[in-house]
Amino acid sequence: MESIAVEHRSGPRRHFPQEVMAIAGNDHRLCRMHNIGDGGALLEVSWGRLTHDVEVEIILDLPVNNILTPYHLFGKVARVTPVGTAVQFTIINSEAQKALQTYLTERMN
């Protein structure tokens, strides 16, 4: 797995119209994702366990050759607002990174 440097948003985020699984510790919740970018995502979840700096795993489906494929993205909660919970990615493996970049690039065109 590749580690991603901690930094502020480096690029735009894109709408992500699907539910994802959020896992913190031994607990998990299905939640809607507002948007996603190469460095993080905004989740629509009112889950008290997801507070600042909590480590979270997000399982989401990204298209690969027109087939939705599950990927695990790891991060930590950067902030919690009334709009949603912002997760900053900390670890993304190379396959997930490639699928995410392809998804983001296709959405820009």
Side-chain angles (χ1 to χ4, degrees):
M1 293 190 170
E2 299 170 1
S3 185
I4 297 176
V6 176
E7 59 185 31
H8 292 285
R9 187 180 310 171
S10 60
R13 291 197 178 173
R14 302 286 171 229
H15 179 66
F16 194 80
Q18 73 172 254
E19 288 187 323
V20 300
M21 182 64 66
I23 302 168
N26 292 326
D27 297 331
H28 61 281
R29 296 278 168 97
L30 193 61
C31 61
R32 183 156 282 308
M33 183 177 284
H34 279 290
N35 56 51
I36 190 169
D38 60 357
L42 184 63
L43 303 176
E44 182 181 320
V45 60
S46 57
W47 183 17
R49 182 160 177 80
L50 293 184
T51 58
H52 191 264
D53 284 337
V54 168
E55 292 183 4
V56 62
E57 176 182 358
I58 298 172
I59 303 172
L60 70 154
D61 293 327
L62 293 169
V64 176
N65 299 322
N66 295 320
I67 299 171
L68 288 178
T69 305
Y71 289 98
H72 297 249
L73 310 177
F74 299 87
K76 67 177 182 176
V77 175
R79 68 184 180 286
V80 178
T81 71
V83 175
T85 300
V87 175
Q88 182 178 32
F89 299 142
T90 54
I91 299 174
I92 302 177
N93 70 31
S94 58
E95 291 89 24
Q97 182 68 40
K98 182 178 178 183
L100 180 57
Q101 288 303 315
T102 300
Y103 176 81
L104 294 172
T105 300
E106 288 174 356
R107 294 292 172 217
M108 292 176 67
N109 298 328

